[in-house]
Amino acid sequence: MSEHARIIIVGASGRMGRMLVRAVAESSSAVLVGATERAGSEFVGRDAGELAGVDRCGVAIVDQIQACAEADLVIDFTAPVATLAHAAFVAEKGMAIVIGTTGFSAEQSQQLHETLSNSPVVMAANYSVGVNLALNLIEKSAQILGNDYDAEIYEAHHKHKVDAPSGTALAMGKSLASGRGVNLDDVAVLSREGITGARESGSIGFSVVRGGNIVGEHQAMFIADEERIEINHIASDRMVFARGAVRAAGWLSDQNKGWYDMQNVLGLNE
Ligand code: NAD
C-alpha cells in the first residue's frame, strides 16, 4: 500500500464524520480522497474539510461511494443499512474498512460478516484507545481478583442516548466475565429495584446515569470488605473515537484479510 493510506469517509457531515475528517487531516499517514453523504443531504457538494472546520481539502462530498476517487480504505460511522451497502462496495473493490457503526441486528451482523469475509476489517463498539486499554486491564484484574471481590460496572451518558447499559459497559462486563471464565449473560444483573435480596456472589451488577451532555463515563469496580479497586474512563470529546479509528485505519493498511478489533490494533491480546 502507498505511504499514505487513501481514505474515503462515508457520512462525512455526521457528528462522527466531521471528527473523522479532522482526524485524517491531523494524521501524517492518511489522506482523504473521498467523502459521501446520503442522497438528498444538504451537504452534498460541500468541501469535506471546510465542513469539518479544518482547511479546504479539495474533496467535495458526493452522494454515492461509487463516485469517489480510488481509495485503499473506507471509514464508516453511519447507520447499519448504509454500512451494509458500503461493505458490498468495499468487498467488490478489494478495499479495507474500519466500521464504527453500532446497532446492527443479529441478521444484519451476519450479513456484514458474510459480505466482508475476504476483506481486512476493523470493527469496534468503542474506538477510544483508553477504553480499549481499560477493557484489557479489567480482564486481567478479574483474573487475579476472582469472586472474592464484588464486581460492579457504572456508566453515564448524555440525555439523548436511547440504549442502556451502553455497548461499552456491556463490553466491560464481557471482559470481566471472561477474566473470571464465565459468561456475562449468566451473571449479569442489569438493573435493581425493590426487594432484590442480598447480592449474589459472582454476579456483575450494572448502574446507569443519563443527563446533560456527558460524552461517556465508565467505571469497573472490584469491591472487597477492606479495599476497592476502580478502573475508570472518562471521555470528554468525541474526537477520541475519531483518532482511534484513524489509528485503526493506519494499522489495517498493513494487514491481510481478517476481522479485527481495537485489541488487535493496539497489540493488547498478543
Ligand atoms: P450522525 O447521525 O450524526 O451521523 C451519521 C451520518 O451518516 C449522517 O450524516 C447521515 O446522513 C449519514 N448517512 C446515513 N446513511 C448514509 C449513506 N447511505 N451514505 C452516506 N452517509 C449516510 O451519527 P453519529 O453520532 O456520527 O454516529 C454514527 C454511528 O457511529 C452510530 O451508529 C453511532 O452509534 C456510532 N458511533 C460509534 C463510536 C465508536 O467508537 N464505535 C463512537 C461514536 C459513534
Side-chain angles (χ1 to χ4, degrees):
M1 203 166 280
S2 58
E3 198 186 332
H4 291 90
R6 296 168 302 171
I7 293 183
I8 295 173
I9 293 174
V10 289
S13 79
R15 270 171 297 205
M16 281 305 300
R18 294 177 198 221
M19 301 270 173
L20 288 160
V21 171
R22 272 173 56 193
V24 169
E26 280 177 6
S27 162
S28 54
S29 57
V31 59
L32 188 73
V33 298
T36 76
E37 250 308 326
R38 63 183 162 70
S41 161
E42 61 184 301
F43 299 109
V44 170
R46 294 277 301 274
D47 183 275
E50 190 180 44
L51 187 64
V54 292
D55 289 344
R56 283 181 71 86
C57 61
V59 175
I61 297 177
V62 294
D63 65 2
Q64 46 180 328
I65 196 167
Q66 289 79 358
C68 290
E70 202 177 313
D72 304 307
L73 209 135
V74 171
I75 303 182
D76 188 331
F77 283 61
T78 58
V81 172
T83 302
L84 280 169
H86 297 139
F89 178 78
V90 162
E92 185 195 315
K93 295 285 180 191
M95 296 161 69
I97 185 165
V98 171
I99 302 173
T101 307
T102 61
F104 291 90
S105 67
E107 200 181 318
Q108 285 171 325
S109 180
Q110 191 189 342
Q111 199 186 332
L112 193 65
H113 275 80
E114 281 167 14
T115 306
L116 293 170
S117 59
N118 285 314
S119 309
V121 182
V122 176
M123 185 166 181
N126 191 313
Y127 276 92
S128 145
V129 171
V131 158
N132 282 280
L133 178 62
L135 290 175
N136 196 266
L137 295 175
I138 288 167
E139 182 166 358
K140 287 208 172 83
S141 307
Q143 246 163 23
I144 293 166
L145 300 171
N147 280 350
D148 290 345
Y149 289 70
D150 295 328
E152 294 281 313
I153 290 169
Y154 152 90
E155 62 102 332
H157 279 90
H158 52 86
K159 61 187 170 197
H160 304 293
K161 186 160 178 66
V162 293
D163 54 320
S166 69
T168 301
L170 293 169
M172 284 184 161
K174 276 191 191 136
S175 297
L176 212 157
S178 153
R180 286 180 169 179
V182 295
N183 266 330
L184 179 62
D185 290 345
D186 298 336
V187 295
V189 177
L190 296 177
S191 64
R192 295 185 177 108
E193 194 182 308
I195 311 295
T196 59
R199 188 180 200 286
E200 208 171 306
S201 171
S203 61
I204 300 176
F206 289 78
S207 52
V208 171
V209 164
R210 290 289 175 265
N213 62 357
I214 301 172
V215 173
E217 297 183 7
H218 294 90
Q219 187 175 58
M221 287 169 264
F222 296 90
I223 310 165
D225 289 350
E226 314 78 10
E227 65 177 353
R228 180 159 91 217
I229 298 119
E230 298 178 350
I231 298 172
N232 197 17
H233 182 271
I234 298 174
S236 45
D237 193 319
R238 286 182 180 79
M239 198 59 192
V240 76
F241 308 123
R243 289 207 184 95
V246 172
R247 179 166 172 168
W251 178 87
L252 192 60
S253 308
D254 296 325
Q255 307 304 315
N256 295 321
K257 70 173 184 179
W259 202 279
Y260 307 101
D261 60 20
M262 275 303 271
Q263 301 289 310
N264 300 116
V265 173
L266 301 175
L268 288 170
N269 51 3
E270 277 158 12

